[in-house]
Amino acid sequence: MAKRDLIVRLEDIRTRILAIESILQEAGEESSMLKSEVYKLALERSFEIIGEALYQIQKQHEFQPVSDMSRIISLRHLLAHDYFKINHSLLWALATEKIPVLKKEILDWIDRENLRLFGTIHPEID
């Protein structure tokens, strides 16, 4: 995987994290999310994209700088292949409890990659 591909996948993850945060904010509470097919599908798809991006990264790198990386990838496989087993209350819990940790880890990883590749954390600003 080219280094640019890594940055693109990390940005995909960051974008989906922002989408999950938006879903949480708009839904307000779990019961509202559970009543909305749109929120449920958006949450599912966001977790699926995050898991797929991490899976592709893991295939090219031996390190796992994200906590629970293998669990996130397993969740992606569940969403894609065993979709009938999806527990939306669990997805809500993961979104509220684990996404803030993942966000910090991904943003830190993006900053490290930008610093290593471009000598700056925000190359588009320079």
Side-chain angles (χ1 to χ4, degrees):
M1 175 185 302
K3 294 302 175 189
R4 177 69 181 143
D5 291 339
L6 175 61
I7 296 283
V8 169
R9 291 193 193 282
L10 291 172
E11 284 295 333
D12 289 343
I13 295 168
R14 185 187 67 79
T15 300
R16 292 294 91 209
I17 288 170
L18 294 175
I20 289 172
E21 290 175 334
S22 178
I23 293 164
L24 294 177
Q25 184 177 10
E26 287 181 32
E29 55 187 43
E30 181 183 351
S31 62
S32 296
M33 184 273 299
L34 290 173
K35 293 176 187 172
S36 170
E37 284 301 310
V38 172
Y39 289 148
K40 291 190 293 189
L41 290 171
L43 203 54
E44 289 173 22
R45 184 66 176 145
S46 292
F47 274 113
E48 190 174 9
I49 291 170
I50 290 169
E52 180 64 18
L54 287 174
Y55 175 69
Q56 294 300 324
I57 290 169
Q58 183 186 50
K59 285 182 8 182
Q60 299 296 321
H61 300 281
E62 294 180 10
F63 60 90
Q64 292 192 9
V66 173
S67 57
D68 295 325
M69 190 164 174
S70 61
R71 288 182 174 167
I72 296 167
I73 293 168
S74 294
L75 175 61
R76 178 258 176 233
H77 293 313
L78 173 77
L79 291 167
H81 302 292
D82 292 325
Y83 55 87
F84 52 90
K85 295 180 182 177
I86 296 170
N87 178 332
H88 289 96
S89 289
L90 175 62
L91 289 184
W92 180 267
L94 291 172
T96 57
E97 297 168 16
K98 300 293 185 177
I99 285 298
V101 174
L102 181 62
K103 181 180 182 180
K104 181 181 181 339
E105 292 172 343
I106 293 299
L107 291 177
D108 288 347
W109 193 358
I110 290 169
D111 285 348
R112 283 192 311 275
E113 286 301 313
N114 282 331
L115 187 59
R116 192 170 61 72
L117 291 172
F118 306 110
T120 182
I121 290 178
H122 303 287
E124 68 279 1
I125 295 174
D126 292 344

